[in-house]
Amino acid sequence: MGIVGAGPAGLLLGHLLHLNGIDSVIVENRSREYVIDRVRAGVLEQGTVDLLNAMGVGAGLQRAGLRHEGLYVSFRGSRHRIDLAELTGGKAITVYGQNEVVRDLIDARTATQRPLYFEADRVSIGGLDSSSPIIGFRHGGAGHEVHCDFVAGCDGFHGICRPSIPDGALTVYERVYPFGWLGILAEAPPSSDELVYTCHERGFALFSMRSPRVTRLYLQTLPDEPIENWSDDAIWDEMLERMTTRDGWRPTVGRIIQKSVTPMRSFVAAPMRHGCLFLAGDSAHIVPPTGAKGLNLAASDVLVLARAMKVYYEHGRRDRLDQYSDTCLRRVWKAQRFSWWMTSTLHRSPDQNGFDHQRQIADLDYLTSSRAAMTSLAEQYVGLPSEVSFDSAGL
Ligand code: APR
Ligand code: PHB
C-alpha cells in the first residue's frame, strides 16, 4: 500500500499494516522535525489509548500520558465536574500531545525498517481507476515511483489526494465558524488536574495541559485574528477574565512559550474512497477542536482500513473495502454532531443575542444537573464504541 502523509493517520496505518504483514511505503513532504514539532491537540479517547497499547506503541503514553477520569464545564462563574469514568463504566481520556504520538510512531516505523520518506518533493498520485496506482515523488535529487495495489490518502486537509478525485465524484459538507482559537503553551504547573471548558459572555476558553509543568490554554477569538495583535499580557488578562471562577480557581500564569491562532471548521468529503484511493483522517474530514476528536477519528478510520486490507490479502475478499467509506462515515458523522454541539453550546457567535446566551446557559445548566445529559456527553467524550474490534484488525 502506498501511503501519502506521515501524520497520525499515515503512521498508524503503516504500523497496523506492518503488524498484519502487509507492505507499505510512506511518503511525507515535510521534514521529520517539522512533523514532530507541529503543535496540535492532545486528547486521546479510551479506544485510541487501547489501540496504541494493543499495537505495542503505548510505552510513551503509559509513561507520560495523563489519565483524566473527569472534566469540568464552567459557566456563570462556577465549575461543574462531569465524572467520565463513573458514567461510562470506567472509561477515561488521556492527555498526551499529538507530537508525542507522532514521535512514538515514527520510532516504531523506523524500527521496522520499512520505507518512510521525509522531505519528498513533487508528490503525485495516478492510476486511481486502475488496479496499479502509482505514487510519484522526488527525494534526495532522484525521481521515485511506487507501484502499489492501493493508495491511502493520509495527507491532511491541504494534501493532494482529495483534490485528485474527479469533480462530481465527491460531495462536500462544510460549516466554517465565525471564530477561531488562540492557543498558548505556558511554563506553568496546571492548576487543575482536569480540563475546564468555559462558556463566558466574552467567549469560550479552555484550560488543558501537556505535563506537570506545562499548561495549554485556548481562547475564542476572530478566525483571522493576527497573533501579533495579542501581547502576552493581553492574552493572560483575557484568559483570567474568562476562566477565573467565583471560588477563586484560575490558571497559574507563566511564561508563554508558543502561541498561534487556528480557524475552525466542520468538513466531510464523501465517499472516503475513489477507485483504489482511500482517504483517511483530516484529508476526508475536519472537526472543530472543541470535542477533541480529530486524532481519534483518524485512528478509527485507519483501524477500519487495516481490517479491510487484512481481509482482502488473507481471503481475497473485497467486501470490507467496499464498506470502508460507509463504516467510517457513520462514526465520523456522530463525531461531527458532537463537535458541532460542543462548539455551539460553548462559544459566543457574533450574531448571538441575549436569548441565545440564556439558552446556552440553560443547556449547560441541564447538562450539569441531569445524569442522563452528563452520561450522553461522557460516552461521546471518551469515545463511542469502535465499528471494528482489535481482533478483526489482526491485533
Ligand atoms: N505529500 C506528502 N505528504 C503531505 C502532502 C503531500 N502533498 N500534503 C500534506 N502532507 C502531509 C503533512 O505534512 C502531514 O504530515 O500529510 C500529513 C497529514 O497529517 P495531519 O494533517 O496531521 O492529518 P492526519 O494524519 O489525518 O491526522 C489527523 O491530526 O492534524 C491533526 O487535528 C488533526 O488531530 C487531527 C489529526
Ligand atoms: C488540547 O489539550 O490541546 C485540547 C484539549 C481539549 C480540546 C482541544 C484541545 O477539546
Side-chain angles (χ1 to χ4, degrees):
M1 185 157 210
I3 301 176
V4 185
L11 291 165
L12 273 170
L13 177 61
H15 203 64
L16 283 167
L17 295 177
H18 163 74
L19 295 172
N20 282 292
I22 301 169
D23 293 343
S24 66
V25 175
I26 306 182
V27 181
E28 163 65 49
N29 64 353
R30 301 289 193 154
S31 69
R32 179 193 167 102
E33 295 68 39
Y34 181 93
V35 170
I36 292 176
D37 290 342
R38 207 163 26 189
V39 176
R40 293 278 178 86
V43 171
L44 306 184
E45 291 176 354
Q46 182 72 57
T48 307
V49 170
D50 295 344
L51 175 64
L52 292 167
N53 285 330
M55 290 171 68
V57 291
L61 182 64
Q62 283 162 29
R63 199 176 50 245
L66 305 168
R67 181 179 156 91
H68 288 194
E69 298 200 338
L71 59 75
Y72 291 93
V73 175
S74 174
F75 59 101
R76 278 194 313 217
S78 303
R79 282 187 300 160
H80 305 260
R81 184 166 188 271
I82 297 184
D83 192 330
L84 300 171
E86 199 255 328
L87 292 162
T88 59
K91 293 185 184 159
I93 53 120
T94 298
V95 174
Y96 187 61
Q98 184 169 317
N99 320 56
E100 306 305 326
V101 175
V102 166
R103 188 198 308 273
D104 297 346
L105 290 170
I106 291 175
D107 289 349
R109 177 76 181 182
T110 308
T112 66
Q113 300 190 325
R114 291 185 180 270
L116 165 56
Y117 293 92
F118 287 106
E119 299 181 69
D121 222 3
R122 284 186 257 164
V123 181
S124 65
I125 56 173
L128 299 181
D129 289 313
S130 73
S131 56
S132 51
I134 298 173
I135 301 182
F137 63 99
R138 291 190 64 77
H139 188 260
H144 293 255
E145 275 191 353
V146 181
H147 294 253
C148 29
D149 296 340
F150 302 101
V151 174
C154 300
D155 51 348
F157 186 64
H158 299 288
I160 53 150
C161 290
R162 193 182 64 251
S164 310
I165 298 176
D167 282 349
L170 278 187
T171 304
V172 164
Y173 304 90
E174 188 168 27
R175 173 181 289 265
V176 177
Y177 297 90
F179 37 77
W181 276 15
L182 187 164
I184 62 166
L185 280 175
E187 277 174 353
S191 58
S192 161
D193 290 340
E194 294 172 342
L195 273 56
V196 185
Y197 286 84
T198 300
C199 175
H200 188 272
E201 280 169 11
R202 296 173 64 85
F204 170 79
L206 170 61
F207 172 92
S208 181
M209 65 205 67
R210 282 294 172 274
S211 72
R213 287 185 312 278
V214 175
T215 301
R216 175 91 171 129
L217 299 172
Y218 298 96
L219 196 60
Q220 175 186 349
T221 57
L222 293 172
D224 45 5
E225 182 91 358
I227 190 68
E228 304 77 52
N229 287 1
W230 286 84
S231 69
D232 291 2
D233 287 347
I235 292 174
W236 279 120
D237 286 349
E238 194 62 30
M239 292 285 183
L240 294 176
E241 171 88 30
R242 294 189 196 180
M243 287 192 217
T244 304
T245 48
R246 275 202 301 274
D247 62 6
W249 178 80
R250 58 193 202 126
T252 306
V253 175
R255 189 169 75 90
I256 296 180
I257 46 180
Q258 195 272 340
K259 55 179 175 178
S260 59
V261 174
T262 330
M264 300 189 20
R265 73 171 75 225
S266 301
F267 174 96
V268 178
M272 289 170 58
R273 174 196 182 178
H274 179 78
C276 56
L277 170 65
F278 293 82
L279 301 178
D282 276 16
S283 73
H285 41 71
I286 296 284
V287 282
T290 327
K293 291 282 166 250
L295 188 152
N296 298 294
L297 276 184
S300 49
D301 287 353
V302 297
L303 185 60
V304 176
L305 187 51
R307 193 263 308 247
M309 289 296 157
K310 172 179 151 66
V311 169
Y312 172 74
Y313 283 109
E314 284 181 5
H315 307 289
R317 275 172 37 204
R318 290 185 164 265
D319 53 323
R320 303 288 186 196
L321 296 175
D322 294 340
Q323 291 157 9
Y324 169 73
S325 177
D326 287 348
T327 306
C328 290
L329 285 171
R330 274 199 297 278
R331 187 182 174 84
V332 166
W333 274 112
K334 280 181 237 164
Q336 288 288 359
R337 194 209 65 80
F338 178 66
S339 306
W340 166 85
W341 174 78
M342 286 280 280
T343 303
S344 42
T345 304
L346 292 164
H347 289 70
R348 185 179 173 83
S349 278
D351 60 356
Q352 175 169 323
N353 62 20
F355 177 88
D356 297 315
H357 185 63
Q358 294 305 326
R359 189 194 48 72
Q360 275 181 316
I361 296 297
D363 214 336
L364 294 169
D365 208 356
Y366 172 64
L367 169 67
T368 52
S369 56
S370 154
R371 188 175 169 90
M374 282 190 279
T375 305
S376 169
L377 179 136
E379 69 177 359
Q380 296 181 83
Y381 198 79
V382 301
L384 293 172
S386 170
E387 305 275 345
V388 170
S389 72
F390 293 166
D391 288 355
S392 72
L395 295 176

